[in-house]
Amino acid sequence: NAGVTQTPKFQVLKTGQSMTLQCAQDMNHEYMSWYRQDPGMGLRLIHYSVGAGITDQGEVPNGYNVSRSTTEDFPLRLLSAAPSQTSVYFCASRTVASANTEAFFGQGTRLTVV
Amino acid sequence: AQSVTQLGSHVSVSEGALVLLRCNYSSSVPPYLFWYVQYPNQGLQLLLKYTSAATLVKGINGFEAEFKKSETSFHLTKPSAHMSDAAEYFCAVSVGSNTGKLIFGQGTTLQVKP
């Protein structure tokens, strides 16, 4: 059981470049989300989805796009990378059957924008 | 709106000493609360969760947390710290009954000194 898989683990981008962070889960979870982790800021929600075709913005959505065409995949796109997007990104999935279910996290993508 | 606040971004204890990590919540409805742990260069994993069945919740690795409604708190404790407990700890609250959203606190880094 793979759980939540994120790729790549590390990435260096130049300012203005675009890229897609991949996230896949094999638990048939309805809910998927992207967080960024910065020192002293905890995890901040970027975008989330409650099912295929349904996405919504979190706390810090600017500069990021998402789509959800399947239950399994939830890619995060950076259209024009900026140094402020240097961070560690985590994808998480969760069933929405109850508010007390566990969220499962990927191993993270460490992104540096130069 | 539901939120959590972790008091103290950095806590240092000696091996064998009591660990106390503080989390206060803000919620107009009974909250669903979680503690997650992040070991260096890894994703987050669930330590324990509050589900209203009991106010004292036991988790993995000897950790427990007590829900106190009167103090709007859900502090994490462990009677005796091990070196392996050194990690970052996050308190989180579930938003809504079936949205899947989790909002995290700022995180507390636990240092364990020999």
Side-chain angles (χ1 to χ4, degrees), chain A residues 1 4 8 12 22 24 28 32 37 43 55 63 68 71 87 90-92 99 102 106 108:
Chain A
N1 192 344
V4 179
V12 178
Q22 301 290 346
N28 203 32
M32 297 185 74
Q37 182 181 19
L43 275 77
T55 64
R68 183 101 177 264
T71 300
S87 187
F90 288 98
C91 179
E102 176 182 358

Side-chain angles (χ1 to χ4, degrees), chain B residues 47-99:
Chain B
L47 265 181
L48 51 81
K49 62 182 180 181
Y50 170 68
T51 62
S52 77
T55 57
L56 184 63
V57 182
K58 294 189 183 300
I60 61 172
N61 301 337
F63 284 93
E64 61 183 36
E66 186 172 8
F67 176 76
K68 292 187 177 180
K69 185 177 178 181
S70 60
E71 299 177 8
T72 61
S73 68
F74 190 56
H75 301 333
L76 182 70
T77 60
K78 182 173 180 177
S80 176
H82 291 171
M83 297 296 292
S84 60
D85 294 328
E88 189 158 17
Y89 293 79
F90 293 94
C91 183
V93 63
S94 199
V95 177
S97 60
N98 60 356
T99 68

Side-chain angles (χ1 to χ4, degrees), chain A residues 31 35 37 40-43 45 48 50 57 59 90 94-96 98-107 110, chain B residues 32 34 36 38 41-44 46 49-51 88 90 94 96-107:
Chain A
Y31 179 82
Y35 292 88
Q37 182 181 19
M41 307 290 286
L43 275 77
L45 184 63
Y48 64 97
V50 296
Q57 297 180 351
E59 306 166 67
F90 288 98
R94 190 180 182 208
T95 178
V96 298
S98 170
N100 68 347
T101 57
E102 176 182 358
F104 292 85
F105 285 81
Q107 292 294 296
R110 188 174 296 273
Chain B
Y32 291 98
F34 304 80
Y36 283 84
Q38 182 185 32
N41 300 314
Q42 294 190 25
L44 279 73
L46 182 70
K49 62 182 180 181
Y50 170 68
T51 62
E88 189 158 17
F90 293 94
S94 199
S97 60
N98 60 356
T99 68
K101 285 176 66 174
L102 274 179
I103 299 299
F104 286 84
Q106 301 90 329

Side-chain angles (χ1 to χ4, degrees), chain A residues 73-86:
Chain A
D73 300 299
F74 191 46
L76 178 71
R77 282 182 285 276
L78 285 70
L79 298 179
S80 179
S84 61
Q85 294 178 304
T86 293

